[in-house]
Amino acid sequence: MTTDATGTGVTEQALASLRTTADPRLRELLTALVRHLHDFARETRLTQEEWEQAVAFLTATGQACTDTRQEFILLSDVLGLSMLVETLHGHHAPGATESTVLGPFHLTESPVRALGDDIDLVGGGQPCVVSGRVRSADGTPLPGARVDVWQADDQGFYDVQQPGVQPPGNGRGLFTADAEGRFWFRTCVPAAYPIPTDGPVGALLRATGRHPYRPAHIHFIATAEGHTPVTTHIFVAGGDYLDSDAVFAVKRSLVKDFAETDDPALAREFGVPNPFRHAGFDLVLERTP
Amino acid sequence: MTTDATGTGVTEQALASLRTTADPRLRELLTALVRHLHDFARETRLTQEEWEQAVAFLTATGQACTDTRQEFILLSDVLGLSMLVETLHGHHAPGATESTVLGPFHLTESPVRALGDDIDLVGGGQPCVVSGRVRSADGTPLPGARVDVWQADDQGFYDVQQPGVQPPGNGRGLFTADAEGRFWFRTCVPAAYPIPTDGPVGALLRATGRHPYRPAHIHFIATAEGHTPVTTHIFVAGGDYLDSDAVFAVKRSLVKDFAETDDPALAREFGVPNPFRHAGFDLVLERTP
């Protein structure tokens, strides 16, 4: 029971009520949550009206979620929380490929494809080859490593966003690295795109004067025996929004040149007509401890 | 773009993205929110799995909300946030009645009733009279003040929770103080009751080993010209859960004796048969500044 005007008594009661939590990690998380939540309200002197608006916003966010839409993940993304959690637990070994957020579009299993296959099943965009090597941090190539790839098309849409327009599996492929750990595939250069803005998160972006765009990128998950998998993107160098990704997922080491080339030897090697764009990068994995 | 393992770079980017927020108060609130949210994740080293559980919990909380149920308010209540916001902006003038939370059951307009009316339309519980005076902090009685009352019945249910069992308006009344600022009405002694436990908030209470009960109480909103309204409860002294209210709303000054009496003069004054229980308390309002 409390009579204090700063509410520290209420905070103490709320914290004390968590002491009976059986799971020690849950107790730790809820204790930190209540402390920060109460400090937030106290520092800002949150009003009853603002609290009501927050309740309405969170309710609308929950109610915007469906089987194919996760508005709370989107909220976490635009507040930088998703990228922070990713950063706290991601890859940091020197020389290993940096990780970044999974994002909400890894919804379907990527079709198994052969090295060199074209994942652009529609053929609308700028032809492009992505190639590289999967290797261990000490340089050892990793033959048989799996490289899961997914991307938006040249208009900025994923296949799952345009059923009936794009064939299922467009922009997706699951590749197996060759005997020297090499992988390569054909695709189109992806476009930047906006995250969905027709829900509460869109309203938040408008209220904060922020654009909803993500810079153009291709997603990867690389896995190899005896190594920690890495979930990452590569970003198209020189593209828009690299310094203002709506979800804060850009890391400098992941920005890659997609340079135009008309090298006849390269074109022959990859079996593409000249000129084409070429992005090269290695996926470097940490050995499992 | 960031490469740091503690994620301070992500936090800086997320904070910087809020600088374009047009409304200065919204900018202040969101800045404090991002700072606390990121500090929470960093201090606890929140994992991807825990983040996924949090997203699922918040989604379920939003989806449990309906026209007659507000699970996010309930969540705010059991984390002590509702009571904290109330405390930060509530009544603190010396001598004035302390405020407490509105709660989720002031859903309908209370029926206008005459002084002395019985708000227990069913007649199941212990007969009781509540009486007092509405006055200004300097002692001046406030004739014509309005006293809005609502309470659970002797089984711990509000009318809106039992349509078809309780008649609408059971346990509710809107009274007008007499020429000396006095109010009195008949009712039954309310019972303690559990908040709803069949949703995500119930699961949270179970995981924290907490009971869901609120101590027995009667709600009041008192309004009078030239004065700041007060929203409050009185709690039944000696009842269970006074030291462990699930929503932390008990203040010592609001705990009142509901003493049994067989005083013939009192019984005559209130028109009730002896013995009965009697709770007396004054509603003391601050003059509007």
Side-chain angles (χ1 to χ4, degrees), chain A residues 11 57 62 64 147 221 241:
Chain A
T11 302
F57 180 85
V147 180
I221 298 175
Y241 313 117

Side-chain angles (χ1 to χ4, degrees), chain B residues 56-122:
Chain B
F57 180 85
L58 292 171
T59 303
T61 301
Q63 300 206 332
C65 294
T66 66
D67 285 351
T68 57
R69 177 169 186 159
Q70 229 309 345
E71 194 80 0
F72 264 116
I73 291 187
L74 211 57
L75 180 59
S76 167
D77 290 351
V78 303
L79 296 178
L81 181 64
S82 310
M83 189 58 190
L84 176 61
V85 171
E86 203 292 318
T87 301
L88 290 172
H89 299 279
H91 277 219
H92 302 292
T97 299
E98 289 195 288
S99 54
T100 190
V101 294
L102 177 69
F105 291 115
H106 194 245
L107 290 170
T108 57
E109 256 181 63
S110 300
V112 172
R113 300 199 196 276
L115 291 169
D117 274 0
D118 194 347
I119 66 172
D120 177 9
L121 309 180
V122 178

Side-chain angles (χ1 to χ4, degrees), chain A residues 4 17 20 25 36 38 43-46 50-51 59 62-63 65 70 76 79 87-89 208 210 251, chain B residues 2 4 17 20 25 36 38 43-46 50-51 59 62-63 65 70 76 79 87-89 208:
Chain A
D4 67 313
S17 79
T20 44
R25 175 60 174 166
H36 277 292
H38 283 225
E43 285 166 21
T44 59
R45 286 190 59 76
L46 190 71
E50 289 161 351
W51 172 86
T59 303
Q63 301 207 332
C65 295
Q70 230 308 347
S76 168
L79 295 178
T87 301
L88 290 173
H89 299 280
T208 51
R210 287 168 57 180
K251 290 177 175 174
Chain B
T2 175
D4 65 312
S17 79
T20 42
R25 175 60 175 166
H36 278 292
H38 283 225
E43 286 165 21
T44 60
R45 287 192 57 76
L46 190 72
E50 290 161 350
W51 172 86
T59 303
Q63 300 206 332
C65 294
Q70 229 309 345
S76 167
L79 296 178
T87 301
L88 290 172
H89 299 279
T208 52

